[in-house]
Amino acid sequence: MHISVILPAKNEAEGLRRTLPSLRALVPEAEIIVVDDGSTDATAEVAKELGAKVLSSPYSMGNGAAIKRGARAASGDILIFMDADGQHDPASIPRLLARLEQGYDMVVGARDWNGHAGVSRGVANAFYNWLASRMTGFDVKDLTSGFRAVRASKFREFLHLLPNGFSYPTTSTMAFFRSAYGVIFEPIPVAKRIGRSHIKPIRDGIRFLLIIFKIATLYSPLKLFVPVAAGFFLTGLGYYAWTFVTMGRLTNMSTLLFSATVIVFLIGLVSEQITGLTYLAARRERERE
């Protein structure tokens, strides 16, 4: 199988000097693509000097945009995505590939608690993993890891869903689960990154959360809307019981809560049908290709 390794990079000249030589030594036959996301340092020059194919953007489009550009340009049957900042050890690649050979379609390099950049990031990622596990029904061990190996043909099915910013890992993982493609999480070591992180905890934390709920509605909307509708119903029922006992009547607030229950449930039902049609259209497009 032909392998393409894709590294999105923004001002990662120092990280590439450490990552690319070891990567080339480990997988000498692989196509190595560095997607320069509008860097202002020597990222593109360093990548070219070290033998990588370079795709340069005139300005920063975001991590997800770099991933999409790299995936479109790659010629490999297997795509490996990893960070260019030195955190991901190329020595873990054979383990990811071995999992693909077992029949999986996506193998995600799963970090342990020590692999997260700080306590706040670790807590946030633990919450995202729990929420994604509830939505998908699978044990999601690391939803936001950027180190993964995938089958190229299957990954390209979801390029139109990937955001240009963070987080492409969240979207692609949830989409693979929704399409019944095999996903497994392989434990990996993570080193301290070289240079400064481009993730802003509050801004990107909110974005991650919004992406999870967006993909949850794409994955299985009723799993999101039914609990919300049930919450409105139980609140309305409890409030009605209290007003009936104290005032002997049904109030406008209880009626409003019961109405919200019906509205939210019907929105979830319509979303479920739209989700089915979306994946049906994607499957037919794939069959035509």
Side-chain angles (χ1 to χ4, degrees), residues 115-149:
H116 297 288
V119 175
S120 60
R121 288 274 295 279
V123 171
N125 285 332
F127 172 71
Y128 301 148
N129 294 341
W130 172 83
L131 185 58
S133 297
R134 295 279 295 179
M135 291 294 176
T136 62
F138 294 89
D139 184 15
V140 177
K141 297 185 181 299
D142 195 348
L143 186 65
T144 61
S145 172
F147 192 14
R148 56 188 59 209

Side-chain angles (χ1 to χ4, degrees), residues 60-218:
S60 179
M61 299 182 186
N63 179 264
I67 288 294
K68 289 190 279 189
R69 295 188 67 205
R72 291 191 187 104
S75 60
D77 306 306
I78 301 297
L79 306 181
I80 295 175
F81 301 104
M82 59 187 298
D83 292 346
D85 55 18
Q87 287 190 95
H88 297 152
D89 185 359
S92 298
I93 290 177
R95 289 164 51 201
L96 303 186
L97 295 176
R99 287 293 199 174
L100 286 180
E101 290 175 357
Q102 293 174 4
Y104 293 99
D105 299 301
M106 173 184 284
V107 184
V108 180
R111 302 160 291 181
D112 60 16
W113 180 266
N114 295 325
H116 297 288
V119 175
S120 60
R121 288 274 295 279
V123 171
N125 285 332
F127 172 71
Y128 301 148
N129 294 341
W130 172 83
L131 185 58
S133 297
R134 295 279 295 179
M135 291 294 176
T136 62
F138 294 89
D139 184 15
V140 177
K141 297 185 181 299
D142 195 348
L143 186 65
T144 61
S145 172
F147 192 14
R148 56 188 59 209
V150 301
R151 299 189 188 280
S153 60
K154 292 180 170 60
F155 186 80
R156 291 192 181 103
E157 293 177 22
F158 308 111
L159 286 184
H160 65 286
L161 296 179
L162 303 185
N164 283 346
F166 295 101
S167 160
Y168 98 85
T170 302
T171 308
S172 59
T173 302
M174 299 287 274
F176 265 61
F177 276 126
R178 176 62 176 80
S179 297
Y181 289 148
V183 179
I184 193 169
F185 295 86
E186 178 71 16
I188 58 165
V190 178
K192 185 177 180 181
R193 68 165 282 125
I194 297 175
R196 188 170 145 228
S197 174
H198 302 296
I199 294 180
K200 295 182 171 52
I202 295 178
R203 183 197 68 185
D204 290 313
I206 294 173
R207 286 183 181 178
F208 279 138
L209 193 59
L210 290 176
I211 287 170
I212 287 176
F213 282 109
K214 182 183 77 173
I215 298 304
T217 59
L218 182 63

